[in-house]
Structure formats: structure tokens, C-alpha cells
Amino acid sequence: MGAQQVAERFAELYGAEPEGVWAAPGRVNLIGEHTDYNDGFVMPFALPHRAIAAVSRRTDGVLRLHSADVEGGVKELRLDDLAPQGDDEWTAYPAGVVWALREAGHGVTGADVHLSSTVPTGAGLSSSAALEVVIALALNDLYELGLPGWKLARLCQRAENVYVGAPTGIMDQTASACCEQGHALFLDTRDLSQRQIPFDLAAEGLRLLVVDTRVKHAHSGGEYGKRRAGCEKGAALLGVDALRDVPYAELDAALARLGDEEEVVRLVRHVVTEDHRVERVVGLLRAGETRAIGPVLTEGHASLRDDFRISCPELDLVVDTALAGGALGARMTGGGFGGSAIVLAEAAEVDTLTKAVEEAFAARGFTAPRVFEAVPSPGAGRLV
């Protein structure tokens, strides 16, 4: 659904034209998984799939929400009644952003909203962040708040952490708000410094496929929170502010200091080596050696599977099948426990690899995957 259709549906619902239409994309994380809440490095890029919102202001303290993607009519909420973790429906994401803006002292007095999204839900592609960022950007513009993208991302993260109750890091919202077309975003999640790294796969005869396994995940579930708590325990035991502060060259010594804390050892090893993998990928891309990032991606999958233990049979099958079929590299992407994998391949091999993965899923009796090309796309912006 495009901007015009979203605007027209808004008018049907609310009896007036919207003041504007905005869009915010989902994202794929090229490398750097579960490093963001450890103050580490990540490297996402925006997808062409996006959430679109038509929005108008209100002055009566009412928030009205409607989604083209969810059955049901307009949901009406009073701003004064918004409270963290009091809503377990999709409305928690946009309502949480309004709550976070008001908690930060911004004078949002209400809104009418109609939403439509093409970002697959539960696929590890940040559908929730796209939803949050598009609302934040619309209200930022309409209420002339003057907040830069990275500050909007911070507020959206607070909405998801506190209002929704999902302990996610800052990467997803920053990617949606700040990515640029044809680039991957090298983000330091400690100070939010950013570097746009050119990532033009087509020019090099390469493709990056996303394979949505259709196994749903939920960040607010307990396993994600356990991993985060384990990382925090590791940092405390090592006497550092965050695992970002453990130098890669000193990893073996740090792990030895953790003694028989087997689970913490695994989590620490993944985070420290994953930060190093991000830096390696940045170096390779800046040197024009794009094909050489493939093995680094594959290393990342092994670490997520064996140390962080957040893969699943479907994700492992994608990676194993793609590598056996000649892919340059492959790994799961996103929070884990389902979702999507990415496959770096020569353009000429895409059809063969796609068929191989689909046949492998059918042979195992898994639900057929959804396979599409990931093209580095623009971040959030106003459409109308």
C-alpha cells in the first residue's frame, strides 16, 4: 500500500485529509548481533519494506489508531491513561512512542493515525521499530519538536523497553531512522556515532538474500531477557561497564577469570568476538573486498548457534543448505529463536540457491520460507 492509498483510507476513517504521510523501513543486520545492549558495534541497513503512517494532530488528549494489517476498527486511547505494559496489543508500539515523547516533556496533545506496513512481522526484520519510528517522526514533524533521528531512536527504544516491556537494544530504531540508501550503517551503540559504509552489492555482481523461515519470535519472551541478564552478569564479574570493554586480544584471559560460569563464558565469548567481526567487515568493505565478508558472516552464525544458543533448526537449515550450494556466506539475523537468515551469493547463483533452500524445507516438512533480495534502502522520511 502506497502513500496515496494510506492517505485515502485515513480520510475514510476520520473524515478529513491527513496532515501528512510518513514512512520508516524495517532493517536487516549484516553483522553485529546482540552487541547493541552491550554497548558494542552493529552494522544494519534499511530494507525497502516499510511502515507507512498518515497522521493528523488532535488537541483533546485522544490518540486514535487504526491499522490496515490488523482486523478491527479504530482504537481510541486517552493520553492521560497511557501506562507502561498495560497494553499487549499492536497498539502498544505507537502508544508507547506517544507516552515516551510526553514523558520526555514534549507537548504532544493527541493524534489520529492510520498505518500500513509491508515489513514482515516476527521475521527478525524490525517490524516493531519501523512502526515506532514512523510515529515518532510524524509527531516530531507535526509538533515541530526538532529532534534529530538518533534522539527519536532513543525515545522509540524507551517505548519498547519500558512501555511494551521488550528488552531490546538501540540498533533497530537507529537503523530505521538513520540508514541511507546504498549503505550499511556502522553504529557504535555506546555513543551513537555513525558511519555510512558504501554497500552496493549489485555493482559487484552480488546479492544478499533474506530467507524468512516463518518461525515467529517474540523479543518480550523470557529467553531474550535471560541472554541480556547473562551478559550484564558477565560484565559485572569482569569489572567492566559493558562487554564492549573486554578487548578481543584479552578474551582468553577474561574467559579464564569467569571460571566455571559456563553459560556466562559462552555469552561473553559471543559478544566480544561479534564486535570484532563487525570491525572486520567494516575493514573489508572499505577495502573493496566485499566477497571476503562471507566467511565472517558464517562465523557469526556458528557463534550465535553454539555460544549464544538462539538459532533453531530452520535457521540452521538455511545456512547449511546455502553454504553447500556455493553461497559466499550465511547467518541468522535478528534476535533469534526464529525469524530470518541472510545469504551472500553471486548474482548468478540466486535462483539455484533459492530453489535449494525451498526444497530442503519441503523435505524436512517445514513451512515454506519466504525468500527475497535485501536492497540497502533509505531510512525514515516524510512522503507527503
Side-chain angles (χ1 to χ4, degrees), residues 173-229:
Q173 293 85 358
T174 305
S176 186
C178 300
C179 279
E180 294 182 3
Q181 185 169 352
H183 292 76
L185 178 68
F186 178 37
L187 173 66
D188 182 334
T189 65
R190 169 165 282 169
D191 61 12
L192 296 189
S193 60
Q194 306 175 16
R195 273 194 284 165
Q196 300 287 345
I197 307 298
F199 193 50
D200 187 355
L201 294 168
E204 299 190 51
L206 298 172
R207 298 290 185 273
L208 190 76
L209 300 179
V210 174
V211 182
D212 176 5
T213 66
R214 301 188 185 269
V215 177
K216 300 295 183 182
H217 70 175
H219 274 173
S220 52
E223 291 300 316
Y224 186 98
K226 287 179 184 177
R227 302 305 190 280
R228 182 164 185 166

Side-chain angles (χ1 to χ4, degrees), residues 230-264:
C231 291
E232 291 168 353
K233 180 179 179 180
L237 289 172
L238 292 170
V240 294
D241 291 336
L243 294 183
R244 147 74 172 275
D245 298 312
V246 179
Y248 176 75
E250 299 173 18
L251 176 59
D252 288 344
L255 297 181
R257 288 166 54 199
L258 293 172
D260 59 358
E261 293 277 357
E262 180 184 350
E263 182 177 0
V264 176

Side-chain angles (χ1 to χ4, degrees), residues 78-360:
R78 294 206 59 81
L79 301 191
D80 289 343
D81 295 336
L82 299 180
Q85 301 184 49
D87 183 355
D88 59 1
E89 298 185 36
W90 69 270
T91 51
Y93 296 98
V97 171
V98 175
W99 171 84
L101 284 167
R102 285 165 55 86
E103 282 285 298
H106 301 294
V108 176
T109 56
D112 287 337
V113 177
H114 173 60
L115 290 152
S116 179
S117 180
T118 58
V119 186
T121 59
L125 303 175
S126 299
S127 58
S128 60
L131 188 57
E132 293 157 359
V133 170
V134 75
I135 296 298
L137 181 61
L139 297 176
N140 186 54
D141 286 355
L142 290 175
Y143 284 95
E144 299 181 344
L145 303 180
L147 299 172
W150 68 268
K151 283 192 175 180
L152 292 178
R154 276 288 194 213
L155 287 165
C156 290
Q157 182 199 17
R158 176 167 169 76
E160 187 148 351
N161 288 173
V162 179
Y163 195 91
V164 178
T168 55
I170 190 63
M171 173 181 66
D172 296 351
Q173 293 85 358
T174 305
S176 186
C178 300
C179 279
E180 294 182 3
Q181 185 169 352
H183 292 76
L185 178 68
F186 178 37
L187 173 66
D188 182 334
T189 65
R190 169 165 282 169
D191 61 12
L192 296 189
S193 60
Q194 306 175 16
R195 273 194 284 165
Q196 300 287 345
I197 307 298
F199 193 50
D200 187 355
L201 294 168
E204 299 190 51
L206 298 172
R207 298 290 185 273
L208 190 76
L209 300 179
V210 174
V211 182
D212 176 5
T213 66
R214 301 188 185 269
V215 177
K216 300 295 183 182
H217 70 175
H219 274 173
S220 52
E223 291 300 316
Y224 186 98
K226 287 179 184 177
R227 302 305 190 280
R228 182 164 185 166
C231 291
E232 291 168 353
K233 180 179 179 180
L237 289 172
L238 292 170
V240 294
D241 291 336
L243 294 183
R244 147 74 172 275
D245 298 312
V246 179
Y248 176 75
E250 299 173 18
L251 176 59
D252 288 344
L255 297 181
R257 288 166 54 199
L258 293 172
D260 59 358
E261 293 277 357
E262 180 184 350
E263 182 177 0
V264 176
V265 165
R266 288 191 285 100
L267 298 178
V268 171
R269 182 166 54 220
H270 166 73
V271 172
V272 176
T273 58
E274 186 79 347
D275 271 334
H276 186 57
R277 280 187 284 274
V278 177
E279 294 181 296
R280 288 164 62 195
V281 167
V282 170
L284 289 168
L285 290 178
R286 290 174 67 87
E289 299 179 24
T290 305
R291 284 171 174 79
I293 74 171
V296 186
L297 303 184
T298 304
E299 286 176 27
H301 183 77
S303 183
L304 290 163
R305 180 192 64 210
D306 300 336
D307 275 343
F308 230 67
R309 299 187 181 181
I310 56 171
S311 190
C312 67
E314 291 85 351
L315 288 167
D316 292 341
L317 184 60
V318 174
V319 172
D320 293 344
T321 303
L323 294 174
L328 297 170
R331 74 172 191 92
M332 60 154 285
T333 187
F337 312 107
S340 299
I342 56 174
V343 178
L344 180 68
E346 303 287 350
E349 300 297 324
V350 165
D351 290 344
T352 301
L353 288 170
T354 299
K355 183 179 179 181
V357 169
E358 290 171 344
E359 289 178 347

Side-chain angles (χ1 to χ4, degrees), residues 59-80:
T59 59
D60 58 358
V62 170
L63 175 63
R64 294 197 293 181
L65 300 167
H66 185 268
S67 172
D69 310 308
V70 181
E71 290 187 9
V74 174
K75 302 281 188 179
E76 185 170 309
L77 306 170
R78 294 206 59 81
L79 301 191
D80 289 343

